[in-house]
Structures are given as C-alpha cells and as structure tokens.
Amino acid sequence: QTNKMSKGNSFINAAAAIGVVVASSLYIQRLQKAVKDRDLSKDNDLNLKEETSSADEQKFSVPKELKLCPYIAELELAIRLSLEAGANMLEHYETVGTENQSSISVMTKGSDIDFATEIDTKNEDLVISHIKSKFPKHMIIGEETSAADGNIPELTDKPTWIIDPVDGTTNFASGLPLTCVSIGLCVNKEPVMGVVFAPMTNELYIGVKDHGAYRNGVRIRGGYMNSKKTLEESIVCFEFGYSRSGDAVEKMTSAVTNILNHGCKSCKCLGSGVLDLCYVARGSIDVVYTGVVDEGWKPW
C-alpha cells in the first residue's frame, strides 16, 4: 500500500509539473504573439496606458442614466472619496506578506477580534472632512467615530451619510482581497444612494433609489434574475461576526448545519458584509442572512 501511495503521489506531482510547464508554455506563446502583433514602442506603450486610464475613467464615472438623478452632487462626491480611500487601502495591501510589508497600527474596539487599523481612521477622517465641507448641514454616522463615542447615533429625517471606511477589516489587515469602502446616504430615514469601492478587485458598485444599481458603469440585474431560485440551487452567505460565547457559536453553527441539511448549492463566509450585499445584487450569491445572535449588522 505504501508503494502504491508513493507511486500515486509521484504521478500527481508529475502531472502537476506538466500542468505548470504547459501553462507556462501557453503564456509564453501568447506573450510572443502579443509582441509580434503590437509594436511595444514607447509611443504605443503610452497609448496603452492612455487606453487603460480611459477605461478606468469610464468604469468609475457616473453612468449617464444617473446624471439627472436627484442626488447627483452627493453621488459624484461619494465616488471620488471612495476611490481616494481605496487608494489608501491598496498601498498597504500590495505589501502584505512581502519583505516590504508596511506596518499599520491596530486599535481594538469591543474585543481583540473587533479592531480597526490606522487606514480605517485615515479613510473615515478623509470622507467626513470632505462631506462636512460640501454639505455642512448633513449628519454623518461613521463606524470608527461611533466606536470611539461608544454609541451609534439615532437616524433622523435629516440627510445622513453612513460610512464604513474599511469593510472587511480582518481581510484587509491579513492581505485578503475581499474588502471595500462603503459610503451611503439616507434621507427621511431611508437609504437613497450608496457607493462601494473594492480596490483589490477594482470594482465600483453604485445604487440610487428608483434608478437602479451599477457595477463599473454597467447596470446589474443578477439579483432579480436569480430571485426564483430554490434553496437547492442557491449559494448562501453568512458572517459569524464577533460573538464567541459557547451559546452564540452553537446557534450560528447550527444555522449553517440546518441550511446544509435542507440542501443548498454552497455556503460561503466572505468576511465583508457590504460586499455580500453587492454580490447578491449582482447575482454572484443568492442569499445573505445575519442576526442569529448578536452578529446582526450595524447601519454601515
């Protein structure tokens, strides 16, 4: 049996090595074709950069369908600030796990597993300062400000911005790509506009009440198209939050067990509640649930 296992492992290793060689060979062939098809002179290289820049500019602009929406000024500001905050996140992310890893300070909140980084604070300060400058009469609820004050302000009828400067902080600090900046606006206690930028995946999600939702400038309808799926056909997402007591863990894991026992296509725990909701809107996942115990989501 040992000899058979050894031979089996050798076969697997050899197959894997062949796969790498084939993949590398295909990549080299494609690269050679690209070099042959395109004169990579300085001028063309500049043109390529301009094309890329133009494509990003188009993805991250206000879609033409939203230019006449009642919250266009707020939307334009939220997009600009989300991109700036995303750039702050990207600087750290690119170095995680490398010899050039940047050090960021970490501040704990409710517990050691509920924490914020200096980028959270930096991003929230950036967003709040610009909102106050542009809309001085608007109210603001920020995750880190609320944590520092020890309470979440009550939502009123006044225009109120709700900010999560880094959603999925654990992912971000660990160098995992599913993390984002979230900026929303409520009027008369109802969400009317939201902007989410995920810098590591280069995705900008925009939603305006009665005007639809967009990903990188293109209208998304996946959530609507998936709305008639059965549980057996669905990808179900959840987040465990910060509850770690025996009773809380039992309730949360039992909920997952019940869903799996009833049958579902797959269960996911992605680590970013905001992106969970974006992925439901896009149709990448079908269901998100929360609130089994005290892991229920906060306004941001």
Side-chain angles (χ1 to χ4, degrees):
Q1 286 182 344
T2 302
N3 288 337
K4 287 180 180 178
M5 289 175 64
S6 177
K7 290 179 180 178
N9 288 337
S10 298
F11 176 77
I12 292 170
N13 291 337
I18 292 170
V20 170
V21 171
V22 170
S24 299
S25 176
L26 289 172
Y27 175 76
I28 291 169
Q29 288 174 22
R30 289 171 183 165
L31 184 61
Q32 289 172 337
K33 186 177 185 300
V35 172
K36 183 178 179 181
D37 292 346
R38 182 190 290 267
D39 175 17
L40 295 179
S41 64
K42 289 184 179 180
D43 288 341
N44 281 339
D45 192 32
L46 285 172
N47 290 336
L48 185 60
K49 288 179 180 178
E50 288 174 3
E51 290 170 13
T52 304
S53 177
S54 177
D56 280 345
E57 186 177 331
Q58 186 174 355
K59 287 193 301 185
F60 300 151
S61 299
V62 176
K64 62 181 181 180
E65 297 89 343
L66 298 180
K67 290 188 181 294
L68 296 179
C69 79
Y71 307 104
I72 183 62
E74 292 89 342
L75 179 59
E76 288 176 339
L77 178 63
I79 290 173
R80 180 170 65 82
L81 293 176
S82 70
L83 295 175
E84 287 186 33
N88 291 338
M89 296 167 65
L90 199 58
E91 288 178 12
H92 169 71
Y93 173 80
E94 291 293 347
T95 69
V96 174
T98 72
E99 60 183 12
N100 299 322
Q101 179 163 341
S102 60
S103 60
I104 54 173
S105 59
V106 173
M107 297 75 71
T108 58
K109 293 189 277 189
S111 66
D112 288 343
I113 58 174
D114 184 7
F115 62 91
T117 70
E118 64 182 81
I119 304 299
D120 293 70
T121 306
K122 181 179 181 180
N123 279 357
E124 187 158 310
D125 290 345
L126 167 75
V127 175
I128 288 177
S129 65
H130 282 80
I131 290 174
K132 284 183 175 180
S133 175
K134 181 89 172 178
F135 302 102
K137 294 183 179 180
H138 287 194
M139 307 297 290
I140 300 173
I141 299 175
E143 180 179 10
E144 306 315 324
T145 309
S146 298
D149 293 342
N151 71 296
I152 301 172
E154 194 169 323
L155 198 59
T156 68
D157 289 335
K158 293 181 179 179
T160 303
W161 295 78
I162 299 178
I163 304 160
D164 193 339
V166 177
D167 185 64
T169 299
T170 300
N171 282 356
F172 167 65
S174 304
L176 296 170
L178 297 184
T179 178
C180 64
V181 182
S182 175
I183 304 174
L185 177 67
C186 291
V187 176
N188 296 322
K189 300 181 181 179
E190 289 189 1
V192 296
M193 183 274 294
V195 171
V196 174
F197 181 52
M200 293 26 149
T201 56
N202 213 33
E203 294 175 291
L204 180 71
Y205 290 90
I206 300 170
V208 177
K209 184 180 179 182
D210 298 327
H211 289 75
Y214 296 77
R215 173 189 173 273
N216 289 349
V218 181
R219 185 79 179 262
I220 53 177
R221 303 179 185 273
Y224 172 77
M225 291 187 287
N226 290 349
S227 62
K228 294 184 179 180
K229 280 186 175 181
T230 63
L231 179 61
E232 290 78 8
E233 299 170 317
S234 299
I235 299 174
V236 179
C237 186
F238 57 90
E239 303 295 343
F240 282 129
Y242 305 115
S243 300
R244 293 296 182 269
S245 69
D247 181 57
V249 170
E250 174 64 26
K251 287 180 180 178
M252 290 188 292
T253 54
S254 293
V256 179
T257 300
N258 288 337
I259 290 172
L260 289 171
N261 285 338
H262 277 83
C264 70
K265 187 174 183 179
S266 179
C267 274
K268 304 292 180 186
C269 183
L270 304 179
S272 169
V274 172
L275 286 179
D276 292 345
L277 298 176
C278 290
Y279 294 156
V280 169
R282 187 184 179 190
S284 302
I285 57 179
D286 304 296
V287 178
V288 177
Y289 74 85
T290 185
V292 175
V293 285
D294 58 353
E295 92 288 10
W297 291 341
K298 296 180 175 64
W300 42 83

